[in-house]
Amino acid sequence: SRRWSLLVLAAALLATAAFAAGQALVGFSPRYAFFILPVLALGTGTLLAYLRKRGWAGRLSVGLLLAALVVHGLWTWVQLVGFGQR
């Protein structure tokens, strides 16, 4: 339901903000960005599903975005594994 989705979003944002504040105040670094990644993934998936329904231009946009994601992921992996660069 919509209420549940908003509750999960609020919880993820609150956790992210709390850990970001902890890092800013005392240097505590638990990789707080990981708490927001599920929200970003779900939001992106919802947006891509919406775009895909918008005709040929939407399907083309989704295809190009996903292709760019795969190419970037492979390029990053090659740089990291092949050359030890981050």
Side-chain angles (χ1 to χ4, degrees):
S1 76
R2 185 164 174 84
R3 182 174 179 190
W4 177 253
S5 298
L6 291 175
L7 183 62
V8 170
L9 174 63
L13 292 175
L14 182 63
T16 303
F19 284 112
Q23 181 183 11
L25 295 174
V26 294
F28 176 65
S29 178
R31 306 289 180 190
Y32 61 86
F34 289 126
F35 293 102
I36 199 68
L37 291 178
V39 175
L40 290 174
L42 291 172
T44 302
T46 303
L47 176 65
L48 291 176
Y50 171 78
L51 283 176
R52 188 176 174 277
K53 295 178 185 177
R54 303 296 293 172
W56 70 268
R59 288 190 299 276
L60 178 64
S61 298
V62 169
L64 290 174
L65 286 169
L66 292 176
L69 178 67
V70 168
V71 168
H72 178 70
L74 288 173
W75 178 255
T76 302
W77 180 80
V78 166
Q79 292 296 315
L80 182 62
V81 172
F83 304 108
Q85 298 177 357
R86 290 188 181 229

